[in-house]
Amino acid sequence: MFERFTKDARTLVTTAVGRAEADGAARVDALHLLGAVVEPGSATGALDLLDAVDVAPSEIIDRVGELRRHAGLSDVDRRALRDLGIDVDVVVARAEDHHGEGALAVATGGGGPGDPRRRRRRSRWHVRFGQDAKRVLEVSLRQALDVRDGYVGSEHVLPALATVPGPAADVLLAAGASPDRLRRAMLQRRKAA
Amino acid sequence: MTNATELATQAGDSDPRTGLRAVAALRRLLERLEAVQVRSARVHGWSWQEIADELGVSRQAVHKKHGRR
């Protein structure tokens, strides 16, 4: 699948892998991909598209940070759990009472690469792709095929991130970057080019 | 502004989407809780076998998942 990826899209994926490694995460997930999108100088196609739908990268970064403090659960996740009678805020507060601030926080790429423990782990672990990240890459390819692009660029990965259900898509939707808006912006940019 | 939350509200209890999402979210929450509790037990000097017994899994499974962290 990767042979169709542009340099831009490959850089995005490599950045996401780097973020997962820095986190000491066992898997690269969709949030690592989203984090890579908003990392300056990583994915120009995706950043241009984000700009075209008037969403600032800083807004995405803020929302991911908020989600990080809640065990990596988005507002949609928390609402779904509340339906079930589970108050994530209470769970987070109890865990922090017992185990310190940020006990349930999920690392999302800021995981201090200078930490020697992490460095050791990096050399031992081979970070693989989680199911959600795999789906995002599959859907990226489909996004490209839908508009008859013979390549997959980061501008196809971003709408895919907004499409595959999960916290990353929730963050994009909440920021106003819906799959439809992103797809329309993508088509407009192709016409203009 | 929050299309996603609106959708979730409109969908209501009967929508399988909300139920499935709750399960997925619970799984992620569970992973976080497990990591925190296992780390805490290790700090308190528990052996991998003791932790595994409480979790109802094999010692190998818990060590493979949480060892070297």
Side-chain angles (χ1 to χ4, degrees):
Chain A
M1 177 162 75
F2 284 113
E3 68 275 5
R4 290 197 187 198
F5 277 50
T6 61
K7 190 162 169 282
D8 183 47
R10 285 174 201 228
T11 305
L12 171 72
V13 173
T14 311
T15 306
V17 172
R19 295 178 73 91
E21 284 175 343
D23 281 356
R27 296 269 190 281
V28 180
D29 61 25
L31 277 177
H32 292 125
L33 284 169
L34 182 60
V37 164
V38 289
E39 194 164 302
S42 167
T44 46
L47 277 180
D48 287 351
L49 196 56
L50 208 53
D51 187 54
V53 294
D54 296 317
V55 174
S58 61
E59 187 173 351
I60 303 290
I61 293 169
D62 288 350
R63 286 179 184 277
V64 170
E66 203 263 336
L67 179 149
R68 179 182 178 278
R69 283 189 294 280
H70 290 86
L73 301 175
S74 70
D75 51 353
V76 179
D77 291 325
R78 280 173 256 159
R79 191 180 287 263
L81 283 176
R82 204 171 303 136
D83 252 29
L84 215 62
I86 298 169
D87 189 332
V88 176
D89 290 335
V90 173
V91 176
V92 169
R94 293 271 159 81
E96 293 197 340
D97 280 352
H98 293 297
H99 304 285
E101 200 176 318
L104 287 188
V106 177
T108 46
D115 182 343
R117 239 181 30 185
R118 294 191 190 282
R119 206 178 300 144
R120 192 178 64 223
R121 216 168 152 229
R122 180 182 291 200
S123 59
R124 275 191 198 164
W125 284 68
H126 175 68
V127 181
R128 294 162 60 185
F129 276 77
Q131 193 53 46
D132 60 341
K134 280 186 201 163
R135 277 294 294 151
V136 168
L137 296 180
E138 282 169 16
V139 173
S140 306
L141 180 60
R142 209 178 61 207
Q143 301 277 351
L145 293 175
D146 280 353
V147 294
R148 299 193 181 172
D149 281 339
Y151 60 92
V152 179
S154 67
E155 67 271 33
H156 301 116
V157 179
L158 185 60
L161 271 168
T163 304
V164 176
D170 296 339
V171 164
L172 284 168
L173 268 171
S178 69
D180 280 351
R181 283 190 76 201
L182 287 168
R183 228 166 281 139
R184 250 179 283 137
M186 183 174 74
L187 287 170
Q188 255 169 21
R189 294 180 61 79
R190 282 176 77 250
K191 251 180 253 162
Chain B
M1 149 204 123
T2 50
N3 291 334
T5 43
E6 274 166 28
L7 271 175
T9 314
Q10 286 162 13
D13 294 348
S14 59
D15 189 346
R17 195 187 307 275
T18 310
L20 291 170
R21 176 57 81 97
V23 172
L26 196 54
R27 196 178 287 139
R28 284 199 299 278
L29 186 60
L30 170 70
E31 289 295 319
R32 290 303 308 148
L33 283 170
E34 184 179 306
V36 168
Q37 293 298 344
V38 169
R39 202 191 313 134
S40 164
R42 289 296 291 169
V43 168
H44 282 85
W46 284 45
S47 71
W48 290 110
Q49 186 62 64
E50 287 172 312
I51 295 169
D53 287 347
E54 283 297 333
L55 289 176
V57 298
S58 74
R59 185 182 61 79
Q60 287 84 355
V62 73
H63 187 262
K64 190 179 175 210
K65 194 166 171 190
H66 299 284
R68 300 192 202 109
R69 280 201 181 181

